[in-house]
Amino acid sequence: MKIGIGSDHGGYELKEEVKKYLEENGIEYIDYGTNSKDSVDYPEYGQKVAEAVKGGECDKGIVVCGTGIGISISANKVPGIRCALCSDTYSARMSIEHNNANMLALGGRVVGRDLAIEIVSTWLKAAFLGGRHERRINKISDIERKYMI
């Protein structure tokens, strides 16, 4: 599995901690930036990671900004992306089991390092349950297709 990872300045430090976790667990990743705490615009990084996931360069994506809100909204503008903003392990697990999320968003100013690592670990270990949840994912895709320009 290959993970795309990206952040803005508000999520930079947490992104670096998540990268350490991925390295320690032998999980391959591609870092799409940013590479410092200098101010940048989160939509660019949400889009970069989302496009890598959509294009198949990465299997899943993790994005981080100050709250996780802006970068998740940005990622979700890319067709086919289901980016879940999670601040607890239950939501992280359910985002995969029920929603088949292909991206995870975290708030660098919202969750601490230890909780963030638990969220990432839970999210990466979870599996989509399919069944009735597949039907619902298909309905989300139908909505997306209806509004694509």
Side-chain angles (χ1 to χ4, degrees):
M1 175 184 306
K2 187 183 294 184
I3 305 296
I5 191 165
S7 72
D8 72 352
H9 56 283
Y12 173 74
E13 289 180 349
L14 187 57
K15 178 190 74 161
E16 294 301 303
E17 294 296 328
V18 171
K19 284 171 44 179
K20 287 178 193 174
Y21 168 82
L22 296 174
E23 289 169 9
E24 290 167 1
N25 288 277
I27 300 168
E28 189 177 356
Y29 68 87
I30 299 174
D31 185 346
Y32 290 91
T34 192
N35 299 310
S36 75
K37 292 190 277 183
D38 295 339
S39 183
V40 294
D41 298 327
Y42 60 79
E44 295 174 26
Y45 300 93
Q47 180 181 2
K48 284 181 186 183
V49 177
E51 288 176 346
V53 172
K54 179 179 174 55
E57 185 176 348
C58 297
D59 300 300
K60 293 184 176 193
I62 299 172
V63 289
V64 190
C65 70
T67 63
I69 298 168
I71 205 161
S72 66
I73 291 170
S74 301
N76 279 318
K77 296 299 180 185
V78 175
I81 295 302
R82 290 177 306 282
C83 183
L85 171 57
C86 298
S87 298
D88 62 85
T89 57
Y90 178 75
S91 296
R93 182 171 56 84
M94 296 304 283
S95 77
I96 296 289
E97 289 183 358
H98 287 199
N99 309 118
N100 202 16
N102 50 14
M103 288 185 63
L104 170 67
L106 299 167
R109 296 176 181 146
V110 176
V111 296
R113 181 220 177 265
D114 291 347
L115 177 55
I117 297 306
E118 287 182 38
I119 291 167
V120 169
S121 175
T122 299
W123 188 75
L124 290 173
K125 291 174 184 172
F128 182 52
L129 297 178
R132 69 183 189 274
H133 305 294
E134 182 73 34
R135 182 179 73 245
R136 295 167 183 158
I137 297 304
N138 291 338
K139 288 183 177 191
I140 292 171
S141 296
D142 290 344
I143 294 168
E144 188 174 64
R145 279 190 294 280
K146 178 179 178 181
Y147 292 96
M148 286 177 57
I149 297 173

